[in-house]
Amino acid sequence: MEIEVPVVIVGAGPAGLATSACLNKLCISNIVLERDDCHASLWRKRTYDRLKLHLGKDFCNLPHMPFSSDLPNFVPRVEFLRYLDRYVNHFMISIRYNRNVESASLDDNNGKWRIVVNDTSSNVDEVYVSEFLVVATGENSKGYIPNIDGLDRFEGEYLHCSKYLNGREWYDKNVLVVGCGNSGMEIAYDLSNWGANTSIVIRSPVHFFTKEMVYLGMCLLKYFEMEKVDKLMLLMSKVKYGDMTKYGLARPTEGPFALKKMGGRTPTIDVGCVGRIKKGKIKVFPGISSIEEGKTVQFEDGRFWHFDVIIFATGYNSTVLKWLKDYKDLFNENGMPKASQPNHWKGENGLYAAGFSRRGLEGISYDAKRIAEDINLTMNSRKMSSAEPNYPCLKFIDN
């Protein structure tokens, strides 16, 4: 089966949905291909129960549809999913579920994209032909677990944080969380609430703030220089938390927003984990050196500790290169855009990337708008160039 459509979008997460909505607003036909059986599968199936948007809702709207005024400033996961469901219905987004993209390549004969897809619900192959291809599978496609010496012989349980829902089953168990980003810190806090004997690996310096502090900082960035806002953020953190080095937490030398701009590293938003660390209810360890026999973990400072469960909050990898064949003008060998933000979203031959800016939902909205506008401009330019030159402006250009 061969289907021709102007724009194919791969991925029905927020980035794919936002791009489709922006195209629909411009009356540009498009189809979203999603490998799972639902949209926003990461949010729906692979996030923990207590999750809320860590940024205020003003910074998390998708294009052309603000959050309801009756929702709290930090929107709970379930309400965010309801928002996405309304978004899909409101913009009449066309999604084909259970579509696993096996390859996408540029056809030299017609200059169009040829996307080979397997409908996993019926095991039927499909081919989509399009002028434009939007990669919206995002940064968080496949959970990453580092290669730690001896992990294969660990006799306890280990999992990526994308499989964590809550700590109910690990009451009074020794649980180690590896990673001190937003997911790692919040999961450690949640485990402690469920009665697990919780520890966390913090390998490198990290900024930590309350979500209210981050919201204030992002609002101030609209009016003040980043350097000044960063200084205020650091002052607020030091006033609230004090010197945390004796607990195993050190702050980076660069400010939080400067660090985010340089490398996309987001400051950690504390939901209560730092307080548990100060009270000794959550232990802090440095990096893991190796896994010894049984359930014993050796750390880089020479300590050994026994754990029943290890949860890896160690990020995700892009899976773009597994199926995208003609990618080298846009993506690097890690499946991430070569160009840095704000020039990361556009490649050649009608290839685009949505949701790869490391700027969360705000970055997704930026990408979706730019991509839709660029496709619209390209299509209108083609119409103009194919029209007969009987307009004064065209005659002027010809002269």
Side-chain angles (χ1 to χ4, degrees), residues 147-153 288-292:
N147 184 19
I148 296 175
D149 180 31
L151 183 61
D152 57 339
R153 60 175 180 264
I288 296 174
S289 175
S290 63
I291 308 292
E292 302 303 313

Side-chain angles (χ1 to χ4, degrees), residues 124-158:
V124 172
D125 290 334
E126 301 170 341
V127 176
Y128 293 81
V129 178
S130 66
E131 293 182 57
F132 306 97
L133 175 62
V134 181
V135 179
T137 49
E139 308 153 350
N140 300 332
S141 186
K142 182 179 180 181
Y144 168 70
I145 294 180
N147 184 19
I148 296 175
D149 180 31
L151 183 61
D152 57 339
R153 60 175 180 264
F154 181 62
E155 294 182 5
E157 179 183 0
Y158 72 90

Side-chain angles (χ1 to χ4, degrees), residues 272-342:
C273 185
V274 176
R276 295 287 172 89
I277 290 171
K278 292 177 76 171
K279 292 178 180 178
K281 294 184 177 181
I282 296 177
K283 298 182 180 68
V284 175
F285 289 93
I288 296 174
S289 175
S290 63
I291 308 292
E292 302 303 313
E293 291 184 4
K295 300 180 181 181
T296 303
V297 177
Q298 181 180 9
F299 295 95
E300 291 175 352
D301 62 358
R303 282 185 289 174
F304 292 83
W305 213 268
H306 174 96
F307 293 100
D308 302 296
V309 182
I310 304 175
I311 299 174
F312 288 94
T314 43
Y316 294 79
N317 283 335
S318 166
T319 58
V320 171
L321 304 193
K322 289 186 176 181
W323 54 270
L324 183 61
K325 306 306 177 185
D326 297 295
Y327 64 85
K328 291 187 177 179
D329 68 294
L330 181 57
F331 292 99
N332 62 26
E333 297 303 320
N334 294 320
M336 295 296 290
K338 289 181 176 179
S340 57
Q341 196 275 336

Side-chain angles (χ1 to χ4, degrees), residues 1-4 31 96 99 114-119 122-129:
M1 182 187 300
E2 191 167 292
I3 302 154
E4 187 155 358
I31 286 178
R96 299 198 172 183
R99 263 46 176 206
R114 185 176 180 84
I115 303 106
V116 179
V117 176
N118 179 254
D119 179 354
S122 60
N123 198 28
V124 172
D125 290 334
E126 301 170 341
V127 176
Y128 293 81
V129 178

Side-chain angles (χ1 to χ4, degrees), residues 10-253:
V10 181
L17 302 181
T19 305
S20 180
C22 290
L23 290 167
N24 287 346
K25 287 278 287 185
L26 296 170
C27 299
I28 298 173
S29 180
N30 65 89
I31 286 178
V32 182
L33 303 177
E34 168 56 44
R35 67 183 177 184
D36 217 320
D37 60 358
C38 61
H39 53 269
S41 61
L42 177 65
W43 287 87
R44 205 176 298 273
K45 294 182 177 182
R46 296 187 287 280
T47 53
Y48 42 95
D49 292 342
R50 62 166 286 115
L51 179 65
K52 295 181 181 179
L53 296 183
H54 289 128
L55 300 181
K57 61 183 180 182
D58 294 347
F59 299 99
C60 298
N61 292 323
L62 294 185
H64 311 299
M65 186 172 167
F67 283 101
S68 170
S69 59
D70 60 354
L71 286 176
N73 194 29
F74 300 97
V75 179
R77 166 181 167 270
V78 171
E79 290 298 335
F80 181 60
L81 285 169
R82 287 173 179 160
Y83 167 81
L84 293 179
D85 292 342
R86 291 193 298 270
Y87 196 83
V88 169
N89 292 331
H90 180 77
F91 291 106
M92 295 183 287
I93 296 172
S94 176
I95 307 172
R96 299 198 172 183
Y97 297 108
N98 302 302
R99 263 46 176 206
N100 184 55
V101 177
E102 298 182 343
S103 69
S105 57
L106 200 61
D107 190 330
D108 294 332
N109 295 322
N110 58 19
K112 294 184 178 182
W113 288 95
R114 185 176 180 84
I115 303 106
V116 179
V117 176
N118 179 254
D119 179 354
T120 56
S121 63
S122 60
N123 198 28
V124 172
D125 290 334
E126 301 170 341
V127 176
Y128 293 81
V129 178
S130 66
E131 293 182 57
F132 306 97
L133 175 62
V134 181
V135 179
T137 49
E139 308 153 350
N140 300 332
S141 186
K142 182 179 180 181
Y144 168 70
I145 294 180
N147 184 19
I148 296 175
D149 180 31
L151 183 61
D152 57 339
R153 60 175 180 264
F154 181 62
E155 294 182 5
E157 179 183 0
Y158 72 90
L159 64 151
H160 189 264
C161 66
S162 58
K163 296 182 180 179
Y164 177 86
L165 297 178
N166 59 62
R168 183 193 305 272
E169 61 183 294
W170 295 313
Y171 172 79
D172 206 29
K173 299 288 187 180
N174 292 340
V175 185
L176 177 66
V177 179
V178 182
C180 59
N182 285 319
S183 295
M185 294 281 263
E186 186 158 1
I187 287 172
Y189 176 73
D190 191 55
L191 284 163
S192 179
N193 283 342
W194 283 100
N197 304 316
T198 308
S199 301
I200 186 169
V201 168
I202 300 180
R203 295 181 57 193
S204 54
V206 59
H207 285 297
F208 39 91
F209 306 95
T210 66
K211 55 190 175 184
E212 291 80 12
M213 288 179 188
V214 174
Y215 179 73
L216 174 61
M218 293 185 71
C219 291
L220 290 175
L221 284 173
K222 298 177 182 178
Y223 308 102
F224 299 98
E225 294 178 355
M226 183 182 296
E227 184 179 356
K228 292 181 179 179
V229 177
D230 272 347
K231 287 181 179 179
L232 177 62
M233 295 290 290
L234 286 170
L235 177 62
M236 288 192 296
S237 181
K238 289 175 181 178
V239 168
K240 178 170 178 60
Y241 298 107
D243 182 7
M244 292 295 297
T245 54
K246 60 183 176 182
Y247 301 103
L249 279 76
R251 295 181 176 89
T253 54

